[in-house]
Amino acid sequence: MKKFIFKVITIFSLIFIFFTINSRYIFADDIESEVSDDITINTSANIDSDLSNINSRAYVVIDRATNLVLVGKNETQKRKMASTTKIMTATVIIQNCNLSDTVEISKKSAGTGGSRLGLKVGDKITVNDLLYGLMLCSGNDAAVALAEYCSGSVEEFAKKMNEKASSLGLSNTHFITPHGLDSDEHYTTAYELALLTNYALKNDIFAKIVGTQNYTVTINGYPKALKNTNELLGNLNGVYGVKTGFTNGANRCLVTSCKRNGMDIICVVLGADTKNFRTKDSISLIEYCFSNFEPFNIGALVKSEFENWKNLNTKNFTFEKGTNVIPIFILEDFPYDTILIKKDQKNVDVIFDCDYNLVAPLFKNSSVGKVSVMVNNELLSSCDIILNNDIYKNGINDYLALFFKNYLVNINDLL
C-alpha cells in the first residue's frame, strides 16, 4: 500500500512539474531558459540581400527622424505583441509617477504568471526599480505592481495606456493589460509599435533603462541583480534598446533601436517562430537598411530649390487692388534636415504650389503657398511660403497717382 501511494505521489509530482515547466509557454516572456536557443550574432551570416528569408509574420524598419518606413511587411496588420506592451507601460509610468516612491506588492501582483521579477506579497521596492524589473527581465509582476500603484487597478491603468495611444494617433493599437499576456483585444501593428517606441525613446529616463544591460534593484533592502533579455544589446554594433516579447499567441517579438554613421532606426519584428529567428530577422533587417540606405540632406535641397524659385517667380506675382510693392518671401522651417533614402532610388521632388494672382491687402506672415517634398512619389512633408512684408490695398492717393501717370502717358502719346 505504501509503495502504491508512493507511486501515485511520484506520478502526480511528475505531472505537476511537467505542467509547471510547460505552463510558462502560455505566459512566459524571455525567461532565462530561452537563452539555451542557438543565437549567433554574426552579421555577415545573417544579412539577407533581398529579405526573402525573413521568418517573422510582420516587420518594419523606420527612420527615427521622419518615421518613414524603410522596409516593411504586414506592418499595418493588427497583431498580438506580448511584452513589447511594456514600452507603453513604462512610458505612462515615467510621465505620471514619482520614481522615488516605494510600492508595497499586492497579492494580485505577486501572483501574476509568466516572466517575473520575483516579487512576493508585502515586498517593498521603488517605482524606479520596478521599471528596471519591467524592462530588463520583463517582469509581469512588476507590470501589475506599477499599474496598481499608478491607477489603483490593471483596468484603470489600461485606460491610461489607451488614452496615450489615442493622443499619439495610434488608431490600430489597444491595451488590456500592462504586461501583454495574450488577449484578442490586446494588439498593435509593427508600424504603430515603432512609432510608440520612437516617442518613448525621446524620454531620457526610458532610453537609459532600455539601454542598460545589467542592473541591481533593491527589494526589502536586499540587492537583486538583473540582466537584460534583449539579446542584441551589447552584441550588435549600434544597438541601444529596446524590448523583447514572447507569448504563444504573439510568438517571438523584438523591438530594436540602432544608430550608426548618422543613421538612427527602429526595427520591429512580430510573430517569429523562435528566438533564433527573431534575432536573425532583426539583424538581417538592420544590416540591410544600413547597407542600402544613406542620409540625404533634404533641408539643404529645399532651401536651394526655394532660392531658385524666388529668383524665377517673385516678379510673376500680381496683387489686385494692391500697391506697387515687390513681395519678399521666406520659407517656413522644413521639419527635417536629413532623411534616409535608398542609395539606388534617389527619387526626391520639391513641388511649389502658389496662386500668383492675389488680392490686396496681404500682411506680413501671411501664407501665400506651399512647398511639398515627395520621396518615391509619396509625400514626406510640406511647409508654407510666407510673405515677409505688407502689401497694402490702394488708397485714394494711389489711385490718383495711377490716374495721372496713365493720363500723362496718354497725353505724350497724342503729342
Side-chain angles (χ1 to χ4, degrees), residues 221-285:
Y222 294 96
K224 180 170 185 174
L226 307 180
K227 182 179 179 181
N228 202 315
T229 59
N230 187 347
E231 63 266 24
L232 296 186
L233 186 64
N235 291 310
L236 185 66
N237 177 28
V239 170
Y240 60 95
V242 228
K243 189 70 189 74
T244 56
F246 167 59
T247 61
N248 266 1
N251 298 103
R252 268 66 174 184
C253 308
L254 183 59
V255 181
T256 310
S257 56
C258 192
K259 182 188 291 186
R260 297 181 202 163
N261 304 321
M263 298 173 60
D264 196 356
I265 62 175
I266 291 172
C267 173
V268 176
V269 298
L270 299 178
D273 286 328
T274 66
K275 184 176 179 182
N276 199 20
F277 274 128
R278 85 172 180 197
T279 306
K280 288 182 177 180
D281 287 355
S282 298
I283 293 172
S284 189
L285 288 163

Side-chain angles (χ1 to χ4, degrees), residues 136-147:
L136 268 65
C137 66
S138 203
N140 294 337
D141 48 356
V144 173
L146 287 166

Side-chain angles (χ1 to χ4, degrees), residues 278-345:
R278 85 172 180 197
T279 306
K280 288 182 177 180
D281 287 355
S282 298
I283 293 172
S284 189
L285 288 163
I286 289 167
E287 296 299 337
Y288 175 86
C289 288
F290 282 125
S291 297
N292 289 277
F293 289 80
E294 63 184 3
F296 181 81
N297 195 332
I298 191 69
L301 176 65
V302 170
K303 288 177 183 177
S304 173
E305 290 295 309
F306 178 64
E307 291 303 316
N308 292 337
W309 174 85
K310 280 199 302 183
N311 293 335
L312 291 172
N313 294 282
T314 296
K315 293 180 180 179
N316 294 332
F317 277 85
T318 60
F319 296 92
E320 185 180 341
K321 301 179 181 178
T323 55
N324 188 21
V325 176
I326 296 175
I328 301 171
F329 299 113
I330 58 174
L331 191 64
E332 182 185 37
D333 287 341
F334 193 70
Y336 310 118
D337 290 326
T338 304
I339 63 171
L340 302 185
I341 192 165
K342 205 164 186 183
K343 293 177 180 178
D344 60 353
Q345 293 181 356

Side-chain angles (χ1 to χ4, degrees), residues 83-321:
S83 274
T84 60
T85 294
K86 291 164 184 168
I87 294 169
M88 178 62 92
T89 304
T91 298
V92 172
I93 292 295
I94 290 169
Q95 292 183 348
N96 291 277
C97 300
N98 185 342
L99 304 195
S100 63
D101 281 356
T102 297
V103 177
E104 184 170 336
I105 302 306
S106 70
K107 183 178 179 180
K108 181 178 179 65
S109 172
T112 306
S115 55
R116 293 171 47 80
L117 175 57
L119 299 171
K120 300 185 295 296
V121 177
D123 281 349
K124 293 182 179 180
I125 180 173
T126 65
V127 174
N128 184 71
D129 282 2
L130 282 172
L131 282 170
Y132 276 93
L134 178 80
M135 301 307 287
L136 268 65
C137 66
S138 203
N140 294 337
D141 48 356
V144 173
L146 287 166
E148 291 180 330
Y149 156 78
C150 180
S151 302
S153 70
V154 165
E155 293 75 19
E156 288 301 312
F157 186 76
K159 291 180 182 178
K160 273 192 171 63
M161 299 172 79
N162 289 318
E163 286 169 4
K164 190 64 186 179
S166 178
S167 73
L168 296 175
L170 307 181
S171 58
N172 291 309
T173 296
H174 190 258
F175 299 99
I176 295 294
T177 69
H179 42 58
L181 300 184
D182 287 339
S183 167
D184 288 341
E185 295 303 312
H186 191 96
Y187 55 81
T188 189
T189 70
Y191 179 61
E192 291 195 357
L193 184 54
L195 296 183
L196 170 60
T197 303
N198 196 6
Y199 173 81
L201 284 167
K202 293 173 184 176
N203 184 287
D204 292 340
I205 296 172
F206 179 92
K208 180 182 178 182
I209 292 171
V210 299
T212 299
Q213 290 180 256
N214 299 283
Y215 189 80
T216 300
V217 299
T218 302
I219 305 173
N220 299 325
Y222 294 96
K224 180 170 185 174
L226 307 180
K227 182 179 179 181
N228 202 315
T229 59
N230 187 347
E231 63 266 24
L232 296 186
L233 186 64
N235 291 310
L236 185 66
N237 177 28
V239 170
Y240 60 95
V242 228
K243 189 70 189 74
T244 56
F246 167 59
T247 61
N248 266 1
N251 298 103
R252 268 66 174 184
C253 308
L254 183 59
V255 181
T256 310
S257 56
C258 192
K259 182 188 291 186
R260 297 181 202 163
N261 304 321
M263 298 173 60
D264 196 356
I265 62 175
I266 291 172
C267 173
V268 176
V269 298
L270 299 178
D273 286 328
T274 66
K275 184 176 179 182
N276 199 20
F277 274 128
R278 85 172 180 197
T279 306
K280 288 182 177 180
D281 287 355
S282 298
I283 293 172
S284 189
L285 288 163
I286 289 167
E287 296 299 337
Y288 175 86
C289 288
F290 282 125
S291 297
N292 289 277
F293 289 80
E294 63 184 3
F296 181 81
N297 195 332
I298 191 69
L301 176 65
V302 170
K303 288 177 183 177
S304 173
E305 290 295 309
F306 178 64
E307 291 303 316
N308 292 337
W309 174 85
K310 280 199 302 183
N311 293 335
L312 291 172
N313 294 282
T314 296
K315 293 180 180 179
N316 294 332
F317 277 85
T318 60
F319 296 92
E320 185 180 341
K321 301 179 181 178

